[in-house]
Amino acid sequence: MITVKGPVDHVVVVGAGLAGLAATLHLLGAGRRVTVVERESVPGGRAGLLESGGYRIDTGPTVLTMPDLVEEAFAAVGDKMADRLELIGLDPAYRARFADGTQLDVHTDGAAMEAAVEQFAGARQAVGYRRLRIWLERLYRVQMRRFIDANFDSPFQLAHPDLARLAALGGFGRLDARIGHFVSDERLRRVFSFQALYAGVPPARALAAYAVIAYMDTVAGVYFPKGGMHALPRAMADSAAEAGAALRYGRTVTRLERSGDRVTAVVTDQERIPCDAVVLTPDLPVAYRLLGRAPHRPRPLRHSPSAVILHAGTDRTWPDLAHHTISFGAAWKSTFHELTRTGRLMSDPSLLITRPTATDPSLAPPGKHLHYVLAPCPNTEVGPGVREWRELGPRYRDELLAELERREMPGLGAAIEEEGLVTPVDWTAQGHAAGTPFSVAHTFPQTGPFRPRNLVRGTVNAVLAGCGTTPGVGVPTVLISGKLAAQRITGPRPVPHPAPRGTSA
């Protein structure tokens, strides 16, 4: 593995999001001195916090899986996650509701899920689920060490027996077809393939290897931190500070000072910070601009779909909603075609509705409730641009409310007391390319060793971390990206990969 050459005693980490904080903890554990600079007044990055009218609103991801990766980051500095963070296992992990009026609670316990599938779709589908679960566990074991938690210096690193094992498992087929090999019920196929949207590729075109995301969600378990998702970066930042990191908030990096091919200082709007190495976690265009160059690629990068998010603090709730409810429209294949090809807003939307106060009522004033609705939408490269969204946003908000009231949440509009709407306009303002928080899509030419590297030619002591680089999009992979960035500076520090909680993997 190629590592940063020369002195690496003092590292500046740009960005206190999950990737930057993970990198910081792993660097501290390896004995490096670390300074973190963050433009916001709090840690978190995409996993931010908005406080309004007594509501504590998570502005970023709402689904936490693979907490062993969080534990690993704390352990790097001799800390324990349990001393910093209270995680609550969600059961069901999701509630899937379909346009035909049926619903399925998705349990991570194998026996409970098998029983639920049998009641929902019959004994044959339950047997298929049992086989699917075994396949997902095998897929995870093959991929994690070799293809996800790994720094790539060359595509030739793929030439390993695990590649043959992955092929034998059908990992290079198509996701939807592979899931269909186990369960034929169209509704079940959706439950185990919708995760491809995180990767920015329709299930019909995504590699079956991306079923590993379904493993994380439906087998390894979904969790929620008491205090909201923002409690995770808060806890990581507190641990880093106590381990000796200097955390400097409210500072915007304006440029990097260089001497030849080395970054010698990070310059913010308030100070100059000399350094031996730098970890950059902003979205790729910002990081490349600071470095003064972007790597040449034969084809331009393709980005994942974006999302419109409606935050609603309400004076009532809808008890049929679980903590996470996926409300599927009748359309499916056409939905992905709209999101990734034609650039149209979903004509029959599938929505993620999160009700965090179902698990932690303290996130809202007494007797009040908090709801988060995520509606995938095209990114600004294939769909409406920023200028169009300025006018489109309020109209689309009204359309979402009407759809939610028709489905799960009658009377929602009248119940809202505090509200926030996030559209591609906001993601663009935050520096996210193509107006999407989900960064570079996981097409085959943008996966593994073909994804933008965390090392950039022309600079020998700068490393990238975050969802745009290795290994990719999602909370678990972003945490891994921070660790991989740290290893580029410290060299590899072998860490065992125990089976995630609640699995037999």
Side-chain angles (χ1 to χ4, degrees):
M1 181 182 74
I2 297 173
T3 58
V4 169
K5 305 301 182 186
V8 287
D9 297 325
H10 179 213
V11 183
V12 173
V13 176
V14 178
L18 295 176
L21 292 170
T24 297
L25 290 168
H26 286 286
L27 288 165
L28 291 167
R32 301 308 189 270
R33 183 165 65 93
V34 183
T35 300
V36 182
V37 290
E38 166 59 47
R39 67 183 177 183
E40 303 296 335
S41 59
V42 296
R46 287 172 172 84
L49 176 70
L50 173 65
E51 297 188 77
S52 178
Y55 293 92
R56 294 175 55 81
I57 301 168
D58 287 315
T59 60
T62 63
V63 178
L64 176 61
T65 62
M66 306 297 288
D68 301 84
L69 297 171
V70 180
E71 185 75 75
E72 185 182 339
F74 283 117
V77 294
D79 216 340
K80 292 183 178 179
M81 180 174 66
D83 294 337
R84 297 279 180 186
L85 197 64
E86 180 182 345
L87 292 187
I88 302 165
L90 300 183
D91 187 27
Y94 297 101
R95 175 165 294 154
R97 303 189 70 172
F98 300 92
D100 64 2
T102 59
Q103 72 176 37
L104 173 68
D105 281 357
V106 178
H107 304 281
T108 53
D109 176 78
M113 186 59 181
E114 187 175 338
V117 170
E118 181 168 359
Q119 184 177 6
F120 177 74
R124 180 176 294 182
Q125 299 300 310
V127 171
Y129 163 73
R130 191 186 314 139
R131 294 171 52 235
L132 172 61
R133 185 182 178 96
I134 293 169
W135 178 72
L136 290 172
E137 291 183 350
R138 289 175 177 168
L139 197 70
Y140 170 81
R141 286 198 297 268
V142 168
Q143 285 195 77
M144 186 61 175
R145 223 181 249 105
R146 185 64 50 188
F147 304 115
I148 298 175
D149 192 0
N151 273 310
F152 286 99
D153 294 318
S154 164
F156 294 109
Q157 285 177 245
L158 292 174
H160 185 276
D162 280 344
L163 187 68
R165 296 186 184 101
L166 183 59
L169 286 169
F172 296 107
R174 296 303 175 190
L175 175 62
D176 184 61
R178 192 63 189 173
I179 298 296
H181 178 74
F182 299 101
V183 290
S184 58
D185 187 288
E186 178 66 26
R187 299 164 301 172
L188 290 176
R189 290 170 69 166
R190 292 190 190 188
V191 167
F192 293 100
S193 65
F194 80 89
Q195 296 87 351
L197 184 60
Y198 301 154
V201 186
R205 298 207 317 269
L207 291 178
Y210 282 111
V212 74
I213 310 176
Y215 166 87
M216 295 175 181
D217 281 2
T218 67
V219 177
V222 176
Y223 297 81
F224 187 70
K226 187 173 178 57
M229 284 290 288
H230 182 70
L232 172 57
R234 280 278 189 189
M236 295 175 72
D238 289 345
S239 180
E242 291 184 23
L247 294 154
R248 300 181 182 177
Y249 299 112
R251 289 164 167 78
T252 299
V253 174
T254 56
R255 62 188 177 91
L256 304 177
E257 281 190 9
R258 302 172 65 105
S259 177
D261 57 5
R262 296 188 71 86
V263 175
T264 56
V266 174
V267 181
T268 76
D269 52 1
Q270 298 184 36
E271 61 188 327
R272 174 185 180 273
I273 308 171
C275 62
D276 298 314
V278 61
V279 175
L280 298 171
T281 71
D283 210 11
L284 291 178
V286 177
Y288 291 152
R289 187 181 74 244
L290 289 171
L291 289 169
R293 64 178 298 169
H296 172 73
R297 295 182 66 91
R299 296 180 179 178
L301 289 171
R302 282 183 52 192
H303 291 83
S304 297
S306 185
V308 171
I309 297 174
L310 175 66
H311 300 287
T314 62
D315 61 10
R316 58 162 295 193
T317 190
W318 292 263
D320 286 344
L321 295 174
H323 185 111
H324 294 297
T325 299
I326 307 168
S327 177
F328 287 106
W332 186 238
K333 293 181 181 178
S334 62
T335 293
F336 284 95
H337 190 69
E338 289 166 342
L339 291 173
T340 63
R341 295 294 187 184
T342 66
R344 292 181 55 204
L345 297 179
M346 292 182 292
S347 54
D348 184 14
S350 291
L351 308 169
L352 171 63
I353 306 167
T354 296
R355 184 169 65 115
T357 43
T359 302
D360 186 354
S362 71
L363 298 173
K368 309 295 184 180
H369 305 272
L370 191 56
H371 302 86
Y372 165 112
V373 180
L374 185 150
C377 70
N379 65 46
T380 56
E381 289 178 337
V382 299
V386 170
R387 182 176 299 177
E388 295 167 274
W389 267 109
R390 295 188 195 281
E391 296 183 2
L392 178 59
R395 295 203 309 272
Y396 192 54
R397 173 261 186 201
D398 293 342
E399 291 177 16
L400 280 178
L401 279 182
E403 188 67 23
L404 290 163
E405 292 193 349
R406 187 182 67 81
R407 296 185 188 183
E408 285 83 13
M409 306 171 74
L412 172 60
I416 293 176
E417 294 186 335
E418 294 287 335
E419 180 181 345
L421 185 71
V422 183
T423 75
V425 173
D426 304 285
W427 303 127
T428 300
Q430 292 174 29
H432 302 317
T436 173
F438 303 117
S439 195
V440 177
H442 283 262
T443 58
F444 182 76
Q446 297 177 174
T447 295
F450 310 112
R451 197 163 181 82
R453 292 181 71 207
N454 55 9
L455 294 177
V456 181
R457 288 182 181 176
T459 307
V460 298
N461 65 336
V463 189
L464 307 183
C467 57
T469 185
T470 305
V473 177
V475 172
T477 39
V478 162
L479 291 169
I480 292 171
S481 83
K483 180 179 72 169
L484 296 179
Q487 289 180 353
R488 289 291 194 185
I489 293 170
T490 66
R493 305 177 73 220
V495 178
H497 282 286
R501 310 164 185 218
T503 78
S504 58

